[in-house]
Amino acid sequence: MLKPDGKASSSGINNGYAQYFTFTFTSDIDISAQRRTIMAKSKKTAKLSCSNSESKTPTVSDKTILNTNYIVTEQAESINEFVSKMPNSSDRLREYGYDNAIAPTAGYTVAQKSSEFTASTCSEKIGTAKTGSLAPLGSNATISSLNRVRVDATDQSLTTNHGVKVSDNQNSLKVGLRGPSLLEDFILREKITHFDHERIPERVVHARGSAAHGYFEAYDSISKYTIAAPFAEKGKKTPVFVRFSTVAGERGSKDTARDARGFAVKFYTEEGNWDLVGNNIPVFFIQDAMKFPDLVHAVKPEPHHGMPQAASAHDTFWDFVSLMPESTHMLMWIMSDRAIPRSYRMMQGFGVHTFRLINDQNQSVFCKFHWKPLLGTHSLVWDEAVKISGVDPDFHRRDLWEAIESGESPEWELGLQIFSEAQAESFTFDVLDSTKLIPEELVPLIPVGRMVLNRNPDNFFAETEQVAFCTAHIIPGIDFSNDPLLAGRIHSYIDTQITRLGGPNFHEIPINSALGHVQNNQRDGMHRQALHRGRVAYEPNSLAGGCPFQAGTAGFVSFPEAFSADKMRGKPEKFSEHYAQATLFYNSQTAIEQAHIASAFRFELSKVEVLAIRDRMLSSLVNVSEELAAEVAKGLGMEVPEAMPKAFIELSQPEVSISPSLSLTALPGECGIRSRQIAILIEDGVEQASLAELYNALIEAGAVVHFVGSRVGMFEGVNGEKIVANKSMENSPSVLFDALMLSDGIKSVQALASNVDTMAFVKDAFRHGKTILAIGAAKQLLEMAGIATVNNSDHGILMTTSDELGEMTSEIIDAIAAHRHLSRESEFVK
């Protein structure tokens, strides 16, 4: 609560989290200066949040064992030592017979030297006002922060859900040792019943997701525009929980499907929870929520046979969108590389809709929200995405989890496009149309803060699966616009959570509960947790002294927008222009990106069995780009049809024809090769000195280096050194790595050359545009793969000798930092 002087009182707020609640409001807005200060401090003290500042970099010397992923390895060795102390079923012999049946023995336990041995995540020590810190050992503190629901069973007996100690968890209750099981076995019944009901309905869309905890830090106050709590003052930190997801697939589908990605952020503010529920694409398929059920029904597996899963390459989807020209702009994004990101950590996020910001004078401006990743925007190529889905369908989930576990906290900058209603009226497009974006050339981004994700969930189901995001969850200082798609989402999200999470009290599930006080007269309903004092559940009242009372202007107040119009169903005329921004997006892509868009359309439409649907979609693409339509038609063996008639043609020329920021290449990133996954192929006979030099240079720059062999395990260097391969070409093909290093050593190269997996590994790395380094004799492997053996750093092909490796270190790192060398595809882009 706030005192009259604007300072926070300690009432209801855990003093340990006071750093997250500062309420001194200021009207000064020097965003750029404060941003530079905070970012500079961040880079200096936390290595741009891209590194673990407490970790030490291992070095490698001759005659030593090389081990990759040292942080994970050290932890694994400690856990292995701890687990090995548990006997192999030594007490199982006592589970049988009459004596055990009437006097079961206590379970065997092992004392812990460290709480980390049984932790869900190495990052659990990192806390916010929402997450708290470690779960107290041997406690169940469910009776503020998530500490109240964290449970640890150290030194505790097994019990039922109702606290009865379980004497025997191995056998059901029977008549004698060989007689029938008894219905009175309430312990068995409770255990089986709970197991039978452990699954809840999955989300209709965004079912496949991954999430993490962190915080948002404001660069400075933007009270000139809004009283929203996260932006109240410089340096203020607000706890957040962020969930990334695919849209179309089911909960068990693959991560690398071609699809839009959800980017939902829950801000836990002292004014209540604010959910910014967006996507990695700034526009959507439809303009009005009335069409949302139709869209989802069309893109989901076809109902007669339930195929395809997590894919849009089928008749019903393309039948729908080819009859809905308003979908064309979103289709361009979905067919671009935006729809197959390299990582959740490397994709943008957008609020999609236009929102209002409201200040303390009740003045309003319009706003759009943009998240920009510090690692830059990078993608997979289609062939790579397809192969990854077979090797590791959890690719994005694993990437996010392992990065945070290793201290590589991903970071995004929040930028706002702020504009007046007068500006909005002057645009050739309607800002209430969710199929349109506002080019940054018209309304530049104002950077207002950064978001850092630094802690993984303790439990996937309790947090990631049960978190409930709702566009209706806003706070004072933020309000809705009249976007007709947003209006439907305001209702739909709450409605679906009631079904998924068992009733109207889903806000009491710990991951969803607010940090500030919750006081109202709502009662009962399934799974109610709160125990309210007294007999009053209504307002006004006198029996409770009028409490809880309405807050007046201290609470949420909707912006008083005036209306004078007829009630009707319809759309404004500006909504009828469907192609200008689709053309803008296509023209803003590089030649390689345009080629990928054409290829994606060809693939998708080739899966469409009804030729009339293909023809209709091509006729729509003619309105975007005749060149694009021709490229797609060529791959389908079809003639380019006449352009689809436009709904409305008497509109002004668009303000912007090319917007460079719409290309993925506009955000290369600021973290170099931090967290990049590097594969070094090895075999017996590898030249260890240059290998050690390369290894040290890469990990010093922040990369994650993996020695990959024909098998996992120990290999021997040319002089008898020991090198451990933690991955093999069989279990970890090149699609899982960002770059490939081929080490020197004649014997090693000869062994690799005789392995059929090696050529597939090298060719795929080349095909997918990844940096390849060949040291000394490894040049032979490039020749065998048909790759030109001439140094070409522009195309990411590098060669050197063991003696000269050190001179090329910076060139190697720069090439890897480019992420992908798509210039290799230029011969196919004419």
Side-chain angles (χ1 to χ4, degrees):
M1 59 185 292
L2 291 180
K3 294 180 178 179
D5 60 2
K7 303 294 185 179
S9 75
S10 61
S11 175
I13 298 178
N14 188 318
N15 290 333
Y17 308 120
Q19 60 170 315
Y20 294 97
F21 298 105
T22 310
F23 304 111
T24 304
F25 292 90
T26 173
S27 60
D28 295 334
I29 306 179
D30 184 2
I31 298 297
S32 58
Q34 299 302 337
R35 176 194 182 210
R36 287 194 298 270
T37 300
I38 290 177
M39 294 297 286
K41 180 179 179 182
S42 170
K43 292 178 182 179
K44 182 177 180 181
T45 61
K47 293 187 180 178
L48 206 61
S49 292
C50 294
S51 66
N52 185 348
S53 59
E54 297 180 359
S55 66
K56 57 183 183 297
T57 302
T59 59
V60 181
S61 60
D62 290 348
K63 304 293 185 181
T64 60
I65 294 179
L66 283 176
N67 241 327
T68 188
N69 290 347
Y70 57 91
I71 296 176
V72 176
T73 300
E74 289 178 2
Q75 183 194 25
E77 290 173 352
S78 299
I79 292 175
N80 184 64
E81 179 184 359
F82 169 61
V83 173
S84 66
K85 294 180 180 179
M86 177 71 75
N88 294 326
S89 302
S90 63
D91 58 343
R92 293 293 181 186
L93 296 177
R94 293 173 289 180
E95 294 175 2
Y96 307 94
Y98 182 81
D99 290 341
N100 184 70
I102 62 172
T105 57
Y108 184 89
T109 62
V110 175
Q112 297 182 34
K113 286 196 253 181
S114 169
S115 62
E116 294 178 358
F117 292 173
T118 53
S120 301
T121 163
C122 298
S123 62
E124 68 175 358
K125 294 180 181 178
I126 301 173
T128 69
K130 181 62 180 180
T131 64
S133 54
L134 300 175
L137 297 182
S139 71
N140 183 339
T142 59
I143 47 169
S144 77
S145 76
L146 287 178
N147 274 355
R148 74 188 191 282
V149 290
R150 288 203 168 94
V151 180
D152 188 278
T154 301
D155 296 330
Q156 300 298 306
S157 300
L158 191 68
T159 74
T160 68
N161 284 335
H162 301 279
V164 177
K165 291 184 178 179
V166 177
S167 61
D168 184 339
N169 192 46
Q170 318 305 323
N171 305 290
S172 57
L173 187 63
K174 309 178 186 71
V175 177
L177 294 179
R178 300 185 69 251
S181 296
L182 297 177
L183 186 62
E184 70 183 69
D185 190 348
F186 67 94
I187 297 176
L188 170 66
R189 188 166 68 248
E190 178 193 271
K191 189 174 181 180
I192 293 295
T193 300
H194 191 280
F195 174 77
D196 290 343
H197 295 269
E198 282 177 356
R199 295 294 174 263
I200 64 173
E202 68 175 35
R203 292 166 169 86
V204 175
V205 287
H206 298 276
R208 171 76 182 181
S210 304
H213 292 279
Y215 63 87
F216 172 79
E217 181 179 13
Y219 291 151
D220 205 344
S221 167
I222 57 170
S223 56
K224 173 182 177 181
Y225 299 115
T226 179
I227 59 172
F231 313 115
E233 63 179 289
K234 170 189 172 183
K236 181 176 181 179
K237 290 184 178 180
T238 302
V240 298
F241 189 66
V242 181
R243 186 175 185 270
F244 307 101
S245 56
T246 54
V247 175
E250 295 173 2
R251 187 161 50 196
S253 58
K254 61 188 180 183
D255 276 348
T256 57
R258 178 178 292 282
D259 199 355
R261 298 298 191 282
F263 194 124
V265 182
K266 186 181 288 291
F267 293 80
Y268 300 100
T269 86
E270 69 277 8
E271 297 290 338
N273 290 351
W274 169 35
D275 292 348
L276 182 54
V277 194
N279 287 332
N280 72 325
I281 293 174
V283 295
F284 202 59
F285 288 106
I286 53 175
Q287 297 171 325
D288 194 297
M290 183 68 81
K291 301 306 298 175
F292 191 75
D294 298 303
L295 168 67
V296 176
H297 288 167
V299 76
K300 283 289 189 177
E302 298 192 10
H304 62 307
H305 56 34
M307 295 185 289
Q309 172 58 235
S312 55
H314 57 104
D315 286 36
T316 57
F317 174 74
W318 289 97
D319 181 37
F320 175 78
V321 295
S322 65
L323 293 169
M324 295 284 291
E326 67 195 60
S327 299
T328 309
H329 189 195
M330 178 69 164
L331 287 174
M332 301 303 298
W333 287 77
I334 289 291
M335 294 300 109
S336 78
D337 293 338
R338 297 272 184 169
I340 43 175
R342 161 61 181 83
S343 163
Y344 288 138
R345 300 179 295 130
M346 300 175 189
M347 70 182 194
Q348 286 179 271
F350 303 90
V352 180
H353 307 288
T354 295
F355 290 87
R356 287 185 182 274
L357 299 181
I358 303 172
N359 64 14
D360 58 0
Q361 302 299 311
N362 209 26
Q363 297 167 329
S364 168
V365 291
F366 281 143
C367 173
K368 281 184 174 285
F369 298 97
H370 296 243
W371 295 104
K372 290 191 175 183
L374 217 63
L375 285 170
T377 50
H378 303 288
S379 68
L380 303 171
V381 294
W382 177 241
D383 180 72
E384 185 182 21
V386 171
K387 291 175 178 175
I388 289 173
S389 69
V391 178
D392 187 4
D394 303 309
F395 183 68
H396 287 150
R397 178 173 294 175
R398 193 181 313 281
D399 173 89
L400 180 66
W401 178 274
E402 291 185 348
I404 295 174
E405 289 292 282
S406 298
E408 294 286 346
S409 303
E411 183 173 332
W412 289 261
E413 182 171 76
L414 179 62
L416 307 183
Q417 284 182 302
I418 298 175
F419 53 101
S420 66
E421 293 193 48
Q423 283 178 282
E425 288 297 322
S426 71
F427 297 150
T428 59
F429 52 90
D430 198 318
V431 299
L432 301 184
D433 179 355
S434 289
T435 69
K436 305 296 192 300
L437 55 79
I438 302 178
E440 292 181 30
E441 289 76 9
L442 286 182
V443 181
L445 287 177
I446 300 174
V448 297
R450 67 183 187 122
M451 179 173 71
V452 179
L453 300 184
N454 57 9
R455 174 170 177 155
N456 281 315
D458 286 272
N459 183 274
F460 183 89
F461 176 82
E463 296 170 84
T464 304
E465 194 63 25
Q466 287 196 125
V467 66
F469 292 96
C470 300
T471 51
H473 293 167
I474 57 175
I475 55 176
I478 298 171
D479 205 348
F480 309 116
S481 70
N482 296 322
D483 181 333
L485 178 60
L486 175 58
R489 294 180 72 198
I490 292 169
H491 164 75
S492 176
Y493 279 60
I494 290 181
D495 192 47
T496 194
Q497 304 301 354
I498 291 173
T499 297
R500 283 189 60 246
L501 300 174
N505 291 315
F506 64 85
H507 62 281
E508 291 191 327
I509 295 174
I511 193 63
N512 296 320
S513 61
L515 282 176
H517 291 292
V518 175
Q519 298 289 351
N520 57 49
N521 293 311
Q522 297 173 13
R523 298 290 187 271
D524 306 337
M526 292 183 67
H527 311 302
R528 187 66 168 174
Q529 304 290 310
L531 304 176
H532 293 278
R533 288 181 69 247
R535 56 182 178 175
V536 169
Y538 53 90
E539 188 278 330
N541 68 71
S542 62
L543 292 175
C547 298
F549 55 90
Q550 66 182 38
T553 56
F556 180 88
V557 179
S558 295
F559 182 72
E561 183 178 5
F563 290 100
S564 178
D566 297 328
K567 182 165 61 177
M568 61 181 65
R569 297 182 187 272
K571 296 184 180 75
E573 289 184 345
K574 282 186 179 180
F575 275 46
S576 67
E577 205 300 301
H578 304 312
Y579 295 105
Q581 290 206 351
T583 301
L584 168 65
F585 179 79
Y586 183 74
N587 289 343
S588 300
Q589 307 302 296
T590 64
I592 300 291
E593 289 174 309
Q594 289 179 344
H596 288 178
I597 291 172
S599 176
F601 272 111
R602 287 196 299 268
F603 174 86
E604 295 270 323
L605 292 176
S606 70
K607 298 287 187 177
V608 173
E609 298 176 356
V610 179
L611 295 182
I613 297 175
R614 295 186 191 176
D615 190 71
R616 188 192 305 141
M617 194 62 237
L618 280 174
S619 72
S620 185
L621 290 181
V622 173
N623 288 325
V624 177
S625 165
E626 293 183 3
E627 172 191 332
L628 172 62
E631 283 295 315
V632 177
K634 187 194 308 180
L636 298 174
M638 299 174 64
E639 296 294 326
V640 178
E642 293 185 5
M644 179 178 288
K646 296 181 180 179
F648 196 88
I649 59 175
E650 297 178 10
L651 293 176
S652 304
Q653 284 293 105
E655 297 89 342
V656 179
S657 58
I658 293 180
S659 180
S661 63
L662 297 180
S663 169
L664 280 171
T665 61
L667 286 176
E670 302 176 29
C671 289
I673 66 170
R674 294 217 64 84
S675 79
R676 302 289 188 181
Q677 304 286 319
I678 313 296
I680 301 181
L681 294 192
I682 63 170
E683 261 288 1
D684 287 328
V686 66
E687 204 288 309
Q688 197 266 355
S690 60
L691 179 64
E693 183 178 9
L694 176 63
Y695 175 86
N696 285 330
L698 292 174
I699 63 172
E700 180 68 29
V704 180
V705 181
H706 301 269
F707 297 118
V708 182
S710 56
R711 53 168 173 76
V712 296
M714 195 79 73
F715 287 84
E716 189 172 290
V718 68
N719 295 317
E721 307 90 348
K722 303 300 181 182
I723 302 136
V724 176
N726 69 320
K727 296 184 183 295
S728 71
M729 290 183 285
E730 184 178 46
N731 73 12
S732 300
S734 70
V735 291
L736 300 182
F737 304 99
D738 296 301
L740 170 61
M741 311 283 107
L742 302 171
S743 48
D744 198 2
I746 295 176
K747 181 181 177 182
S748 173
V749 170
Q750 289 175 341
L752 287 170
S754 65
N755 188 327
V756 295
D757 290 333
T758 303
M759 284 303 102
F761 205 100
V762 174
K763 288 180 178 179
D764 269 355
F766 177 79
R767 179 181 182 183
H768 300 148
K770 296 171 183 178
T771 295
I772 301 176
L773 168 69
I775 306 173
K779 179 179 178 181
Q780 176 188 341
L781 299 176
L782 297 186
E783 294 171 344
M784 292 179 63
I787 300 171
T789 53
V790 177
N791 250 8
N792 194 327
S793 57
D794 290 339
H795 295 304
I797 304 296
L798 304 173
M799 282 163 287
T800 186
T801 64
S802 291
D803 293 337
E804 298 174 342
L805 177 62
E807 300 173 10
M808 286 193 66
T809 299
S810 60
E811 186 176 355
I812 294 167
I813 290 174
D814 288 344
I816 297 172
H819 181 72
R820 199 182 299 281
H821 302 273
L822 294 177
S823 56
R824 293 179 199 164
E825 297 184 22
S826 58
E827 60 185 287
F828 305 109
V829 184
K830 303 295 185 183

